């Protein structure tokens, strides 16, 4: 006649999330970053990634789209 076990919802939350990085809609990289990182802080981290730099060489960034805690899509031409 024990009570139903309880849990702490905060224990399930993670401090980091895995962000998918796309260039023109194609997955190029996955990064672990702090959860709820603002776009202003996320953009330099993404653009500094070596795998992403090679897809951006000599191209103009048209859009930098961020879906919070999920993905970043960089549109280039």
């Amino acid at each position: 006649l024990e009570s139903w076990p309880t849990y702490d919802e905060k224990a399930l939350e993670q401090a980091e999330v895995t962000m998918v990085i796309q260039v023109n809609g194609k997955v190029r990289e996955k990064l672990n970053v702090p959860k709820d990182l603002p776009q202003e802080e996320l953009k330099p981290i993404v653009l500094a990634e070596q795998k992403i730099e090679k897809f951006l060489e000599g191209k103009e960034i048209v859009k930098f789209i961020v879906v919070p805690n999920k993905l970043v899509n960089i549109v280039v031409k």
Side-chain angles (χ1 to χ4, degrees), residues 24 56 59-65 73-77:
N24 286 342
L56 303 179
K59 297 182 181 173
E60 176 187 346
I61 297 176
V62 178
K63 287 186 182 179
F64 192 87
I65 304 164
N73 189 12
I74 304 169
V75 181
V76 296
K77 69 174 187 174

Side-chain angles (χ1 to χ4, degrees), residues 6-18:
T6 60
Y7 65 97
D8 182 13
E9 287 187 29
K10 290 186 180 189
L12 298 174
E13 293 181 14
Q14 296 179 348
E16 286 191 342
V17 292
T18 301

Side-chain angles (χ1 to χ4, degrees), residues 4-77:
W4 190 259
T6 60
Y7 65 97
D8 182 13
E9 287 187 29
K10 290 186 180 189
L12 298 174
E13 293 181 14
Q14 296 179 348
E16 286 191 342
V17 292
T18 301
M19 298 279 292
V20 175
I21 312 301
Q22 298 178 337
V23 177
N24 286 342
K26 295 182 181 177
V27 176
R28 302 299 184 185
E29 181 69 277
K30 293 180 182 178
L31 294 176
N32 289 328
V33 296
K35 187 176 181 182
D36 298 325
L37 189 66
Q39 181 175 344
E40 301 81 37
E41 295 177 26
L42 181 63
K43 189 173 182 176
I45 294 171
V46 171
L47 296 178
E49 272 300 305
Q50 190 174 21
K51 287 184 180 179
I52 300 302
E53 283 180 343
K54 71 179 183 177
F55 292 105
L56 303 179
E57 284 180 6
K59 297 182 181 173
E60 176 187 346
I61 297 176
V62 178
K63 287 186 182 179
F64 192 87
I65 304 164
V66 177
V67 178
N69 298 324
K70 298 235 185 256
L71 77 95
V72 173
N73 189 12
I74 304 169
V75 181
V76 296
K77 69 174 187 174

